[in-house]
Amino acid sequence: MYIVFEGIDGSGKSTQSKLLKDYLVSKGYDVELIVEPTDSDIGKLIRKLLQNPNARSDYMQKTFGLLFAADRMILMNKIQDLESENKIIISDRSFYSSLVYQEPYNWIKEINKFAKKPDLVLLLDMDLKTAVMRSQGTDEFENEEFLSSVKEKYLKLARNSSNFKIINGNNNLDEVSSNIKKVVDAVFNI
Ligand code: TYD
């Protein structure tokens, strides 16, 4: 089972992915938490480049597209192993992040063809201004105008993909967490 959290920067993915992990562990499941970009050498390079003032330029967006795809390629090997051990994988981001953060769409889709499609995508949708305030503003993508287009692209993806569930991320932490648990219980019948 491969469950993914998606959402703009500051939407609470990392907190909620940990809470969901604790919940599933308490139910007796074997769970592995994953974060993209990963801690591979490519992932480390990505985090460094995210600080670059040109990060949102056209040529850098294409560079990011390739780097995120390469980082993910390594990760897919690990995901295969975890699935063969019957582990539940919870991931903070996936190739869907590349589809909404990088461009052009069709090319990004093509270079991510190898990426495994998640069984469930929990899209934490929230008010843009709150998210921008919450995010630490440490990388160049944490920009209100840019994130506004990312948010719209996420909602469009959600409308066209049957594995997406939209979670209202504006509620308080416990409420969001309890909604996520309800969705996961219902989808996987656990
Ligand atoms: P993020 O989850 O926000 O990490 P952190 O909480 O440590 O800042 O991810 C880092 C940034 O990378 C974020 O701005 C989104 C961006 N990103 C992409 O642009 N494309 C991708 O494919 C992925 C996985 C992330």
Side-chain angles (χ1 to χ4, degrees):
M1 199 188 295
Y2 177 32
I3 304 172
V4 163
F5 280 87
E6 289 286 352
I8 56 175
D9 301 73
S11 57
K13 292 174 286 75
S14 62
T15 308
Q16 292 300 340
S17 54
K18 284 178 199 128
L19 290 174
L20 180 61
K21 178 185 176 180
D22 294 345
Y23 173 66
L24 291 173
V25 167
S26 79
K27 286 205 161 199
Y29 292 98
D30 211 351
V31 183
E32 182 90 9
L33 205 56
I34 278 170
V35 180
E36 287 197 36
T38 71
D39 59 2
S40 75
D41 287 340
I42 297 170
K44 286 184 189 127
L45 174 62
I46 291 172
R47 290 198 184 275
K48 198 168 141 196
L49 292 175
L50 282 169
Q51 318 294 326
N52 187 315
N54 294 325
R56 276 178 282 122
S57 66
D58 182 52
Y59 79 96
M60 276 306 286
Q61 277 294 45
K62 293 205 175 71
T63 306
F64 276 118
L66 292 166
L67 288 174
F68 279 116
D71 186 40
R72 192 166 293 127
M73 179 82 87
I74 300 170
L75 180 64
M76 286 304 133
N77 225 12
K78 185 176 169 188
I79 287 188
Q80 235 173 23
D81 291 347
L82 292 171
E83 283 204 315
S84 65
E85 294 162 20
N86 280 325
K87 292 204 170 149
I88 296 183
I89 301 148
I90 300 177
S91 182
D92 182 344
R93 298 195 182 276
S94 69
F95 75 94
Y96 288 116
S97 287
S98 286
L99 284 181
V100 295
Y101 277 85
Q102 275 74 47
E103 286 183 328
Y105 181 87
N106 285 333
W107 179 66
I108 295 294
K109 204 168 167 183
E110 181 67 30
I111 61 173
N112 280 280
K113 261 192 176 157
F114 64 88
K116 189 183 156 53
K117 192 175 167 200
D119 300 295
L120 173 65
V121 184
L122 297 158
L123 174 59
L124 298 184
D125 181 48
M126 67 176 300
D127 175 64
L128 191 65
K129 286 205 163 38
T130 318
V132 170
M133 234 162 58
R134 269 205 217 165
S135 69
Q136 287 128 3
T138 47
D139 69 56
E140 287 295 317
F141 293 163
E142 293 171 9
N143 163 288
E144 194 169 326
E145 198 186 323
F146 179 70
L147 289 182
S148 162
S149 85
V150 170
K151 178 178 153 90
E152 290 315 309
K153 288 182 191 171
Y154 265 134
L155 290 172
K156 193 171 164 197
L157 263 185
R159 281 195 294 273
N160 296 314
S161 321
S162 55
N163 57 346
F164 268 68
K165 295 278 179 209
I166 300 176
I167 306 285
N168 183 348
N170 295 303
N171 298 329
N172 70 47
L173 194 137
D174 290 339
E175 235 172 304
V176 176
S177 174
S178 111
N179 284 337
I180 288 171
K181 287 172 194 165
K182 273 186 214 147
V183 168
V184 170
D185 285 352
V187 169
F188 299 108
N189 208 6
I190 52 180

